[in-house]
Amino acid sequence: MKTKLIVAFLLLIATGSTAQIKISRNTPLQKLINVEMAINQLYVDSVDEGKLVEDAIRGMLKGLDPHSSYATKEEVKALQEPLNGNFEGIGVEFNMIEDTLMVIQPVVDGPSEKAGIIAGDRIVTVDGTSIAGVKMSKEEIMRRLRGPKGTKVRLGIRRQGFDEELTFVVKRDKIPVKSITATYMLRPGVGYIRIGNFGATTHEEFVTSLQKLQKQGMNSLVLDLQENGGGYMKAAVDVANEFLQNRDLIVYTDGRERSEYRAKGNGRFRTGTLIVLVDEYTASAAEIVTGAVQDQDRGLVVGRRTFGKGLVQRQITLADTSMIRLTIAHYYTPAGRCIQKPYVKGQGEDYAQDVQNRLRRGELMNADSIHFADSLRYYTLRQHRTVYGGGGIMPDYFVPLDTTIYTRFHRALQARNLVLNANLRYVDDHRRELQQQFRDFETYRQSFEIPQSVIDNVLEEGEKLDIKPSDKKERQLTIHYMKLQLKALVARDLWGMDEYFAIMNESSPMVQEAIRLLE
């Protein structure tokens, strides 16, 4: 194929010590091929032809819109794993503490649990190669632990109570990646489901969560889509279908052709109170669900204006399994609002800074800072309430960003992993004691408090790194929130993410506003 292209599109004519290129004039595509061939054949230095082509692809896509993009085959695999619902590996949740991989929890019924690995174990070698204390990157460690289903890996384990290193042989398998991060009863009759992204298994997981909560007496639902960056449109349509009546419009796309997506009338939560929580990072597929609920007057939206990612991408896989994601249409809510916020082609940096610009303008702290032109006014389909277009979904009830909870001091401690490391060390030292003392989560939630010594240790470690509060008030606010966060992290390590959010949500302004509205 390459030879044919050279013959068809590139004519090199040698004249003495110089060379001329005769450029074909037929099409822009031929022109592009001619330039690539010329660089590859004539440029003074050697070039990486693969990288040259990839740079050209990225350059073409950069001039289109902020969401058309190119991904190498390695990037494709990393991007698709959270959406495909599984990957192949050993099945552990882990974190790094002092250059050592510590198991937080083995995946239930996964290969590591079956082999006998438990929470608190430290993986120090993989197939005889040390991964502890050698400054190995997290990505490299993951590469060594993952592998094709059915292959085996020999792990060297350090476990409390054993002087010698233990050896486990783990047979890799498919490991599920859950997109629903929490499901629990927030209050009697009130369920809570948090969706992290919209992937291949999201709808199936969502139905399971709904049924679980309905068995516990749920008649109202808080659907948390905060920080949900989107994913598959089909998953969003299927989740929205669970709330809406037959033939209700969920979303339509408009590009070179128009497509409509409607509810089938078989949803499992078509009645009952519904509140959707959103913030400035709620995007794409999550905005489809939010817009459908709001425009069809099916429930209330609480939070802050969503991100405004309303461009539809088609994934086009290339011969080497790399991929381009090409924008082919716009998303529109049932009332006709375009979800996509304005952008200027080729100016990706300004677009990427939009959330920071909103913060500077005060939009995240005060709803009055948001101004809509009359031309952007729309009306919901049943109650004819006023809603606005112009990008993103504006909530029915605004909840400002509370900058007093998550202080600058706390953010600096977090950035150095001081809070997380303190949690890992505490649980590692006291796991058995905590498990014996707290047989159930409710007892833990009511009576456990993180020891002051753990807080003091974080503050001391921060001071060594010159991380200090600006004043006494910031110190007090940081300590108060850090205690809550550490209590939630300990609960996560002892039980799971449901328990983590059950603690954190008791101080969440978003969740508390939803509870207020329901009551």
Side-chain angles (χ1 to χ4, degrees), residues 290-301 333-337 376-389 393-396:
T290 307
V293 168
Q294 189 177 56
D295 283 8
Q296 294 289 358
D297 290 299
R298 174 61 188 88
L300 295 175
V301 178
T333 69
R337 294 181 287 166
L376 299 175
R377 183 178 297 160
Y378 293 80
Y379 299 94
T380 60
L381 301 182
R382 285 179 167 81
Q383 299 176 12
H384 307 293
R385 296 180 298 118
T386 299
V387 289
Y388 287 94
I393 307 296
M394 186 67 188
D396 302 302

Side-chain angles (χ1 to χ4, degrees), residues 205-233:
E205 292 176 47
F206 185 72
V207 170
T208 300
S209 293
L210 271 182
Q211 292 172 336
K212 174 185 174 181
L213 296 177
Q214 286 170 334
K215 286 178 182 177
Q216 297 177 49
M218 178 186 71
N219 49 50
S220 298
L221 174 64
V222 176
L223 177 63
D224 194 343
L225 300 182
Q226 294 179 82
E227 299 182 5
N228 184 317
Y232 293 147
M233 180 179 74

